Amino acid sequence: MIQVTGPQYETPTEIKVFRNMGADTVGMSTVVEAIAAKHMGMRVCTVSCITNMAAGMQEKLSHDEVKKASDNSSANFTKLIDGLLTDMKAE
């Protein structure tokens, strides 16, 4: 994963550069939030929801597509986090 400042879609050229650097996903908050949490002494586990293919990898990007993917995954995402928290509490 590579961290960008966002919120914006990357250009096809940026995606090519990121892929050449070894990135397979792009995030806007996961990395900086994990760094801040670790700095505060917290144990860190990251989970990200991939909502769209990158620029240049599909015909058109749309915010509606991103929102729909996010909405469609919210129930499973909630179950995953609830399960992780339950497991952590049991430790």
Side-chain angles (χ1 to χ4, degrees):
M1 176 181 275
I2 193 163
Q3 171 76 42
V4 297
T5 55
Q8 64 193 27
Y9 295 111
E10 297 73 36
T11 67
T13 301
E14 288 172 318
I15 294 301
K16 287 178 186 175
V17 170
F18 297 159
R19 290 183 89 177
N20 286 338
M21 294 170 64
D24 56 4
T25 58
V26 177
M28 292 183 285
S29 63
T30 304
V31 174
V32 293
E33 290 168 358
I35 290 169
K38 190 68 177 170
H39 178 73
M40 294 170 62
M42 300 170 75
R43 290 176 28 190
V44 176
C45 172
T46 63
V47 179
S48 295
C49 177
I50 307 300
T51 57
N52 63 289
M53 297 293 288
M57 297 180 72
Q58 62 188 38
E59 190 173 320
K60 182 181 177 185
L61 291 175
S62 84
H63 182 69
D64 289 336
E65 171 193 6
V66 171
K67 183 162 176 16
K68 183 178 178 182
S70 178
D71 290 345
N72 287 343
S73 67
S74 64
N76 286 334
F77 205 77
T78 299
K79 287 179 191 175
L80 174 65
I81 299 302
D82 284 346
L84 288 171
L85 293 174
T86 299
D87 288 348
M88 290 171 60
K89 186 176 179 183
E91 287 184 6

